[in-house]
Amino acid sequence: VCDAIAEEFPTASVIIVNTGGIRGGFQAAGPITRSRVDEILPFHNKIVLMWVTGAELRTTLERSVRSLPESSGALLQLRGIKAYVDVEGSPIMSGYDGKVLKPGERIKSVTVAGKPLDENGEYLVATINYLAGGGDGYAELAKVERQMDTGKSLNDILANYIEQHSPIYPKRRVTYEFTSPN
């Protein structure tokens, strides 16, 4: 899913999609129909481009890993970014309004396109309208002033990607690495 978005928006440095928005998984082999794409992506999200600071990106990553080692639909699927996580670190604490009450201490380091995250830098992020609106508790994304709804459907983007690249052989990428507290 992130590869399809990245191909459609090649200027985006980072792609983020919540795990809970991807359902059903792919079958082992055989044709992937449009109705199957719609089963995998049942929410028919649109793509939003956002210009976020490195600090906002770090907070977003802390929210992503707040429930680990428990699974969560809020865990982000990523492309263009790699985060090193210490699950023994303190998770981010937020109020009901999403305001950070205590910053998390799980993200130990982050690289974007192989370079260390610049907390003061700005990054173009492609995501879905659900997350851009603060869904799954990502309050900092809803506050980003520079965002643009592209009007492009994630379902259409994925269907076109599959059609252009068939047969596809999905690969698992490591975007989070877990560190030991030692």
Side-chain angles (χ1 to χ4, degrees), residues 50-65:
M50 318 177 80
W51 288 262
V52 302
T53 66
E56 290 166 330
L57 203 47
R58 181 178 288 279
T59 300
T60 299
L61 291 171
E62 285 286 355
R63 283 193 200 277
S64 176
V65 300

Side-chain angles (χ1 to χ4, degrees), residues 6 37 111 140 169:
V37 168
T111 58
E140 62 283 349
Y169 302 96

Side-chain angles (χ1 to χ4, degrees), residues 6-74:
E7 188 169 290
E8 185 74 20
F9 299 98
T11 58
S13 301
V14 176
I15 312 297
I16 59 174
V17 178
N18 61 319
T19 300
I22 304 168
R23 305 290 173 103
F26 286 103
Q27 67 267 10
I32 301 170
T33 63
R34 177 56 193 243
S35 63
R36 184 70 177 123
V37 168
D38 291 344
E39 286 176 30
I40 294 164
L41 301 172
F43 303 110
H44 299 271
N45 286 288
K46 303 286 188 227
I47 301 299
V48 174
L49 297 177
M50 318 177 80
W51 288 262
V52 302
T53 66
E56 290 166 330
L57 203 47
R58 181 178 288 279
T59 300
T60 299
L61 291 171
E62 285 286 355
R63 283 193 200 277
S64 176
V65 300
R66 68 187 178 262
S67 297
L68 291 176
E70 300 298 319
S71 64
S72 166

Side-chain angles (χ1 to χ4, degrees), residues 57-101:
L57 203 47
R58 181 178 288 279
T59 300
T60 299
L61 291 171
E62 285 286 355
R63 283 193 200 277
S64 176
V65 300
R66 68 187 178 262
S67 297
L68 291 176
E70 300 298 319
S71 64
S72 166
L75 181 70
L76 296 176
Q77 299 298 310
L78 306 168
R79 185 153 191 266
I81 189 168
K82 192 171 200 177
Y84 294 87
V85 181
D86 177 1
V87 293
E88 307 257 334
S90 300
I92 193 172
M93 301 286 288
S94 300
Y96 289 111
D97 60 356
K99 182 178 178 186
V100 176
L101 303 175

Side-chain angles (χ1 to χ4, degrees), residues 89-173:
S90 300
I92 193 172
M93 301 286 288
S94 300
Y96 289 111
D97 60 356
K99 182 178 178 186
V100 176
L101 303 175
K102 184 179 131 205
E105 298 174 352
R106 290 184 163 198
I107 299 295
K108 296 303 177 189
S109 68
V110 180
T111 58
V112 177
K115 296 179 182 165
L117 180 74
D118 177 357
E119 298 273 334
N120 298 310
E122 195 171 59
Y123 298 90
L124 180 57
V125 174
T127 189
I128 56 174
N129 59 307
Y130 175 71
L131 293 175
D136 273 345
Y138 291 97
E140 62 283 349
L141 296 180
K143 295 175 186 171
V144 171
E145 291 181 20
R146 290 183 58 206
Q147 55 177 286
M148 178 183 79
D149 187 338
T150 68
K152 293 194 175 191
S153 159
L154 177 56
N155 296 53
D156 290 345
I157 290 168
L158 182 60
N160 291 338
Y161 180 87
I162 291 168
E163 187 177 311
Q164 292 172 7
H165 295 280
S166 286
I168 61 169
Y169 302 96
K171 296 177 191 155
R172 182 177 296 262
R173 275 193 195 85

